[in-house]
């Protein structure tokens, strides 16, 4: 065994025991997940001692290093292995305009279907006059717009129509 050294000199034999090296066996391939997915860390084993695994502690978008370690003892040197966890943003679709808007003379606020807590309206959600408008929505750092989306949603206020039936103009009825 490599932990033992034996030397002989005449009638006397001297030997010494050297520390062994703890070896951790773990898959160190990067772990790639999308924000919100479950993170499954690989299990680790060692030829000696208990393997202690660090925790991520944060599951926001980013890169995290998980450390697997075995402590050094009198008989074994410790060991450390690491695994990188990469959390990528979740792609989401834009909200849609709820209903339609007709000129009333008052300020109107567009309502959106699918507006989530991680979305913040920056501009363009209120208007008074007839016209076309754009709501600009910002996402938190854990989300990105799905392909084809940019966080800008168009909406409009249409001209009002009036029912003129029954209205008289100098002896003319409409």
């Amino acid at each position: 065994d490599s932990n033992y050294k034996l030397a002989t000199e005449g009638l006397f034999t001297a030997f010494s025991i050297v520390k062994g090296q703890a070896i951790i066996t773990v898959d160190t391939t990067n772990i790639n997940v999308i924000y919100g997915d479950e993170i499954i860390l690989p299990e680790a084993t060692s030829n000696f001692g208990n393997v202690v695994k660090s925790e991520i502690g944060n599951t926001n978008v980013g890169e995290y290093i998980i450390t697997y370690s075995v402590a050094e003892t009198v008989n074994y040197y410790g060991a450390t292995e690491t695994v990188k966890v990469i959390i990528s943003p979740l792609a989401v679709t834009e909200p849609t305009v709820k209903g339609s808007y007709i000129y009333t003379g008052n300020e109107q606020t567009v309502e959106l279907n699918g507006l989530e807590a991680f979305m913040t309206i920056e501009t363009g959600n209120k208007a008074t006059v007839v016209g076309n408008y754009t709501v600009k929505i910002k996402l938190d750092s854990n989300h990105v717009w799905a392909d084809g989306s940019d966080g800008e949603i168009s909406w409009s206020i249409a001209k009002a129509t009036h029912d003129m039936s029954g209205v008289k103009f100098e002896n003319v009825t409409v």
Side-chain angles (χ1 to χ4, degrees):
D1 188 344
S2 64
N3 292 358
Y4 302 98
K5 292 188 179 180
L6 183 64
T8 58
E9 186 176 312
L11 297 175
F12 297 100
T13 301
F15 73 93
S16 62
I17 300 173
V18 296
K19 280 187 170 188
Q21 178 63 54
I23 299 170
I24 297 173
T25 304
V26 64
D27 181 359
T28 57
T29 305
N30 289 349
I31 298 170
N32 295 289
V33 296
I34 303 295
Y35 176 77
D37 286 350
E38 181 181 6
I39 300 168
I40 299 173
L41 299 173
E43 293 300 319
T45 59
S46 174
N47 64 331
F48 168 78
N50 293 326
V51 178
V52 177
K53 173 176 55 178
S54 66
E55 297 296 325
I56 290 180
N58 190 343
T59 56
N60 288 323
V61 168
E63 293 185 5
Y64 304 93
I65 301 296
I66 302 301
T67 303
Y68 294 82
S69 59
V70 172
E72 183 172 349
T73 68
V74 173
N75 296 320
Y76 280 87
Y77 292 106
T80 301
E81 291 290 341
T82 59
V83 174
K84 184 186 287 187
V85 176
I86 302 165
I87 302 174
S88 300
L90 174 65
V92 296
T93 57
E94 293 173 335
T96 57
V97 174
K98 182 178 184 178
S100 58
Y101 299 86
I102 297 173
Y103 177 75
T104 64
N106 297 315
E107 182 177 71
Q108 298 183 59
T109 302
V110 69
E111 291 185 47
L112 300 172
N113 291 313
L115 187 66
E116 301 286 345
F118 53 83
M119 298 176 181
T120 304
I121 295 174
E122 291 188 311
T123 60
N125 64 319
K126 296 180 184 235
T128 303
V129 299
V130 171
N132 296 315
Y133 302 96
T134 302
V135 177
K136 177 66 178 163
I137 298 177
K138 181 180 177 183
L139 297 174
D140 70 13
S141 60
N142 292 316
H143 298 85
V144 293
W145 293 117
D147 291 342
S149 301
D150 61 5
E152 294 186 3
I153 298 119
S154 298
W155 69 288
S156 62
I157 297 177
K159 289 182 181 181
T161 57
H162 298 285
D163 181 3
M164 300 291 287
S165 63
V167 176
K168 291 184 179 183
F169 296 98
E170 294 187 31
N171 299 328
V172 176
T173 303
V174 178

